[in-house]
Amino acid sequence: MFRSELRCFQNAGLLLCSILLASTSDFAQEIRRTVDPPQSIISLAPAPRPQGALLARHISDATFEHAPANYHVFPAATVGTDAGVEALTLNFAAETRLTHIQSKNRDFVIEHGGTCREGNSYTKGDACSLLVRFNPQGPGHRLGFINISNSAEATPMSFGLLGNGSSPVVSFTPSVITTVPGTYTAGAGTIKTATNMAVDGGDILYVADTGNDLVKEIDSSGVIDSINLFFSTPASLAVDSLGVIYGFNTPASNYFFTYITPWGVQTGYDSPYAAGACTPSAPCAMGEVGMNTPANMSIDAYDDLIFEEATEGAAEMPVANISGGTNVFNIWYLKDQFNYADNPPASFAADANGNIYNDYTYTPTNTCILLEESLYDAEYAPTANRVAGGAKCGFSGDGGLGRSAEISSTIGQIAFDAAGNLYFADAGNQRVRRIDALTGIIRTVAGNGTAGYTGDGGAATSATLSSPTGLAVDSQGQVYIISSATTNQVLRKITTNGTLPFLPHAVGTTSTAKVITVSNTGNSALVLSNYAFTGADPGDFLIDSTTTTCILNTGATLVAGQSCMIGVLFKPAAIGSRSANLVLNDNTVNGSNTILLSGNGVAAAPAASPSPTSLAFGSELTGDSTASKTVTLTNTGTETLTITSIAITGTNASAFVFANTCGSTLAAGANCTIHGHFAPTATGAMTAAITITDNASNSPQSVPLTGTGTAPASLKSAVQIKSSANPASTCNPVTITANVTTQSGEKPTGEIHFMDGAKLLGTAEIKNGEARFSISPLNAKTMTLTANYVGDSTHEAETSPTFRQVFRTEPKESTSCHLRLD
């Protein structure tokens, strides 16, 4: 409906808007002309509209009080109950024949028995009846349209259908994640620099595709179309209860505000910003004050548009009156406690009750907070409450209270489901997280914290996301995410199916439990009929009572906004891929909800597990040995382990002496010991390994061994260095003496290497415990000297401490060293 009518009326809308933009002073008078639906020879006769509780079950439901004449409003209905059939009357103003009657939305079903039928002809003044049943396919306000084609007009006549639905919705964590078809083609994403999405009451998704200058529309069947706009670079979108789309642009000059009616007419303002004192009691005409950096629009239950606006931080504007009443958009400013000036507009949303939310980041103190403020407080006494984050930016707290968790400094769009749960794109943590309305518990519902584009078909919590920005939740609890891909952006979706993939497990043995969270994200109680394991291998999976908190008895309920856990065990009956479905039969729209279970059965096998995995013996004198140390080898498998060999291998294998109590086999669950000591025969660091060869490991297992052999004290040497003059003249030779001593008092023999840093100056033989070397430099400098004793057959090598030899610069009047010495 929307796409075909948009094409029919777009040219007229563009012409009208171009005239309006040329003369903004007449804009308020022109609004009425733009919002009326196109005239047809067929019209929907007025009908009494339900009031009070019949129309809206609670305050968060839309009241549709501003619905225009071409909309029919049904009483509120509950999924699964008979809401009855209503007769809608069509009047004819000229002779025509009906050629087609169509309702694409399953919420509103055309029943047999009416007098409006395809092929029937009618004359001026005739009327016929169309029988329609309201059959809500989800919670909250529902929106649909009926198109009626006739022989006298090229454009179908269209009228809207409205009602509020009550329904439970099951959302699983983790759920399966996919990429929405058509948003990733030829190795690249099809969306560019988008940050904002919105969903209407018919579960049509609208994406502000900023980089492509388009609004993309994705209907409930997955078909993607584009809405061509008379302004470019759409930045933010919202859709009211009547299906009217509102948008802001990213401007080249003035900010542009527009709305698009379901019958295809576009109307907009581009008034320049002018400061004004716009309050709830004294609002301003939006055409007079314009917009000051608007962003991130939301529609509340009363069809009020609430958005960021830099005058005070936020603004409110009733928009339902485009279809009647004053025909003027009035705006008033809200006192935003979220410091709009310090934070570029990124995260802002209003819930069904008008409470507003935004993130606040204060870099000097590394503070990242998600805040909430009631609409009353924002209008009169600004006070903010913390719902997530705190004095430290980061990632933590999943499974606990949101106000005790850490969030990142980069937060994308905020969205809500029918139960009032809050979702936000924690872009800096590459995740999407949810805060439950009833408990305040925070959970990750998508992303594993690593930037990327992987994981489709698997658990959303195991997938990678990259800088997620836009976020939206439809009436079935499906979460849509704008995320970067290899190039540009894609649209990813958390589906309704839960998933629990198990690691490969030995046939006939039971795994540890895996747990899935079950949440009622609808607006009425979930009632369980029963549950069952179905599919290929239902006997391989079973409920774990110790980790299950959901009551799985027939008739058990889960109220809206409540969550519980189901634990599942995997016991494969055969080798290979194993799968089943855990089906919860309940009172949701589809009558059941499914958790996909999968795993692989593997042969029961032995497993050799040494402990510890390495041994360090430290230092030991040559000729001695350390105390014994032990490695325990355990067969952690389910079959007997065959041990082929246990050996000491490596360069210094002879320095490590080991024995073992292990035989040629080791029963399942049994263990044996490998024990030994370190006995060095030479000095220096030594390494080896215990190498275990068995029938459980693809390659021999290795337990590294380390130790250091040291010499007895009587063999140790000490080297000291001294100079005949320090500082010395550059003209006179200097004698450097190295003294070598031992604790035993023996006179060492061998050579001394005299070094200047890493440079060898020369060598000298040790005589009577000392060696000498003469230095005669011609230029002044400082040397860093060491004496390296190379050792002999009974004494260890040793190096002296560093010695700094300084040479004095000769006076300038000295013409040469020779003259000076004379």
Side-chain angles (χ1 to χ4, degrees):
M1 184 284 305
F2 185 89
R3 292 185 294 275
S4 63
E5 294 202 353
L6 176 61
R7 288 192 287 270
C8 291
F9 293 95
Q10 186 179 2
N11 291 337
L14 284 169
L15 177 61
L16 176 60
C17 289
S18 63
I19 295 171
L20 292 175
L21 294 178
S23 178
T24 56
S25 62
D26 294 332
F27 198 93
Q29 288 72 34
E30 297 292 346
I31 289 180
R32 184 66 179 175
R33 296 184 215 169
T34 68
V35 299
D36 283 340
Q39 296 299 309
S40 170
I41 62 174
I42 306 174
S43 61
L44 177 66
R49 291 182 173 176
Q51 300 295 319
L54 290 176
L55 176 62
R57 295 291 172 88
H58 48 75
I59 193 173
S60 64
D61 287 335
T63 59
F64 311 120
E65 59 183 304
H66 296 289
N70 66 322
Y71 281 75
H72 183 87
V73 181
F74 290 80
T78 300
V79 170
T81 62
D82 186 0
V85 175
E86 295 202 11
L88 283 61
T89 301
L90 301 182
N91 293 325
F92 294 86
E95 183 176 350
T96 190
R97 178 173 56 87
L98 297 184
T99 58
H100 190 52
I101 302 173
Q102 182 183 41
S103 173
K104 290 184 177 181
N105 191 308
R106 291 190 301 158
D107 292 83
F108 304 93
V109 180
I110 300 174
E111 300 280 2
H112 296 291
T115 59
C116 297
R117 297 174 184 171
E118 294 179 2
N120 283 5
S121 296
Y122 304 87
T123 62
K124 181 179 180 179
D126 283 349
C128 67
S129 63
L130 194 66
L131 302 183
V132 180
R133 183 186 301 277
F134 179 34
N135 180 35
Q137 297 300 295
H141 69 268
R142 312 303 298 165
L143 171 67
F145 294 90
I146 289 182
N147 293 334
I148 300 178
S149 301
N150 66 90
S151 60
E153 296 176 311
T155 301
M157 175 267 188
S158 177
F159 60 87
L161 305 171
L162 297 167
N164 283 309
S166 294
S167 171
V169 173
V170 171
S171 297
F172 295 110
T173 306
S175 286
V176 175
I177 190 171
T178 63
T179 294
V180 174
T183 66
Y184 187 79
T185 60
T190 62
I191 302 171
K192 295 181 180 179
T193 62
T195 61
N196 198 266
M197 295 187 289
V199 178
D200 73 4
D203 284 333
I204 295 177
L205 179 71
Y206 299 94
V207 180
D209 191 352
T210 305
N212 287 314
D213 291 340
L214 295 171
V215 172
K216 287 185 175 173
E217 173 193 21
I218 304 176
D219 65 24
S220 55
S221 68
V223 175
I224 301 178
D225 204 349
S226 297
I227 303 172
N228 295 316
L229 304 175
F230 58 75
F231 73 90
S232 61
T233 59
S236 182
L237 296 172
V239 187
D240 69 12
S241 62
L242 307 179
V244 179
I245 306 169
Y246 303 89
F248 291 137
N249 73 323
T250 300
S253 55
N254 295 336
Y255 280 88
F256 202 101
F257 168 68
T258 188
Y259 63 87
I260 308 170
T261 66
W263 47 90
V265 174
Q266 300 185 29
T267 307
Y269 285 90
D270 72 338
S271 305
Y273 170 71
C278 308
T279 64
S281 58
C284 303
M286 196 271 285
E288 296 176 2
V289 296
M291 299 271 182
N292 184 11
T293 321
N296 296 304
M297 298 186 295
S298 290
I299 293 282
D300 71 4
Y302 304 97
D303 280 336
D304 290 336
L305 191 65
I306 302 172
F307 53 94
E308 286 184 299
E309 209 271 359
T311 302
E312 294 288 345
E316 181 176 1
M317 185 166 65
V319 292
N321 60 13
I322 67 164
S323 58
T326 65
N327 300 320
V328 174
F329 287 112
N330 289 325
I331 187 172
W332 57 87
Y333 301 129
L334 304 175
K335 301 293 183 180
D336 184 10
Q337 290 296 291
F338 311 129
N339 205 344
Y340 186 102
D342 285 353
N343 294 281
S347 305
F348 182 92
D351 66 14
N353 297 312
N355 300 309
I356 57 178
Y357 298 78
N358 200 354
D359 72 310
Y360 173 77
T361 299
Y362 187 59
T363 304
T365 58
N366 194 36
T367 299
C368 295
I369 305 175
L370 193 63
L371 296 169
E372 172 268 340
E373 182 178 25
S374 73
L375 188 58
Y376 177 87
D377 287 345
E379 290 177 334
Y380 301 105
T383 302
N385 303 308
R386 178 164 54 92
V387 296
K392 181 183 178 183
C393 305
F395 175 75
S396 71
D398 272 4
L401 292 176
R403 62 176 177 266
S404 300
E406 293 176 359
I407 64 175
S408 75
S409 60
T410 306
I411 303 298
Q413 193 170 3
I414 299 169
F416 300 89
D417 61 28
N421 301 315
L422 182 152
Y423 300 74
F424 66 98
D426 194 347
N429 286 318
Q430 313 297 346
R431 289 176 167 91
V432 172
R433 303 171 82 179
R434 184 182 76 209
I435 302 173
D436 291 348
L438 286 183
T439 63
I441 298 296
I442 189 171
R443 295 180 174 89
T444 292
V445 296
N448 63 8
T450 301
Y453 175 41
T454 62
D456 274 2
T461 50
S462 299
T464 59
L465 301 175
S466 182
S467 301
T469 56
L471 196 66
V473 186
D474 69 12
S475 69
Q476 298 305 307
Q478 298 183 116
V479 182
Y480 294 86
I481 308 162
I482 298 174
S483 178
S484 297
T486 51
T487 304
N488 302 329
Q489 294 168 305
V490 296
L491 190 61
R492 305 186 77 182
K493 180 174 72 172
I494 305 176
T495 67
T496 57
N497 284 333
T499 181
L500 283 179
F502 286 81
L503 294 173
H505 199 73
V507 170
T509 65
T510 304
S511 72
T512 56
K514 296 200 75 170
V515 177
I516 193 168
T517 301
V518 183
S519 301
N520 180 358
T521 56
N523 62 357
S524 64
L526 174 73
V527 181
L528 182 69
S529 302
N530 55 65
Y531 76 91
F533 288 98
T534 66
D537 310 297
D540 287 25
F541 302 89
L542 59 156
I543 299 293
D544 176 47
S545 60
T546 61
T547 56
T548 297
T549 61
C550 297
I551 299 174
L552 298 178
N553 300 328
T554 298
T557 62
L558 192 68
V559 301
Q562 189 177 12
S563 297
C564 62
M565 311 287 185
I566 296 178
V568 180
L569 301 168
F570 177 39
K571 187 178 181 181
I575 295 173
S577 177
R578 313 296 291 173
S579 64
N581 300 323
L582 173 55
V583 180
L584 306 179
N585 296 302
D586 49 45
N587 63 329
T588 56
V589 171
N590 296 321
S592 65
N593 291 273
T594 301
I595 303 168
L596 308 178
L597 307 172
S598 61
N600 276 291
V602 296
S609 300
S611 178
T613 56
S614 64
L615 289 179
F617 286 91
S619 299
E620 184 58 67
L621 296 175
T622 57
D624 289 342
S625 63
T626 65
S628 181
K629 291 192 175 187
T630 300
V631 172
T632 300
L633 181 65
T634 303
N635 180 3
T636 57
T638 56
E639 291 186 353
T640 299
L641 175 73
T642 299
I643 302 173
T644 305
S645 66
I646 298 176
I648 308 300
T649 61
T651 305
N652 309 116
S654 60
F656 299 89
V657 182
F658 274 78
N660 68 81
T661 64
C662 304
S664 59
T665 61
L666 192 62
N671 59 64
C672 60
T673 59
I674 307 167
H675 50 87
H677 56 268
F678 173 49
T681 58
T683 60
M686 298 184 181
T687 59
I690 301 173
T691 301
I692 305 166
T693 306
D694 54 61
N695 68 329
S697 309
N698 292 328
S699 58
Q701 296 193 74
S702 180
V703 179
L705 306 172
T706 59
T708 302
T710 60
S714 61
L715 301 180
K716 292 184 178 180
S717 307
V719 182
Q720 296 292 328
I721 194 170
K722 62 182 180 178
S723 170
S724 60
N726 194 16
S729 169
T730 55
C731 293
N732 296 316
V734 176
T735 300
I736 305 300
T737 303
N739 292 311
V740 185
T741 58
T742 62
Q743 292 184 12
S744 64
E746 296 181 18
K747 297 293 185 181
T749 59
E751 290 182 341
I752 294 288
H753 293 181
F754 290 91
M755 311 291 294
D756 179 10
K759 179 182 179 182
L760 176 64
L761 298 177
T763 62
E765 185 179 354
I766 299 174
K767 296 180 179 180
N768 295 321
E770 68 177 25
R772 295 183 178 184
F773 185 78
S774 181
I775 303 173
S776 300
L778 295 179
N779 298 309
K781 69 171 187 174
T782 297
M783 291 183 171
T784 303
L785 304 177
T786 54
N788 295 347
Y789 174 47
V790 298
D792 59 18
S793 59
T794 57
H795 300 96
E796 287 186 309
E798 189 59 73
T799 299
S800 73
T802 300
F803 181 84
R804 295 180 73 254
Q805 176 65 54
V806 178
F807 292 91
R808 184 176 57 248
T809 304
E810 295 302 321
K812 292 182 179 181
E813 58 271 16
S814 298
T815 59
S816 68
C817 289
H818 178 74
L819 180 62
R820 172 72 180 256
L821 291 173
D822 290 345

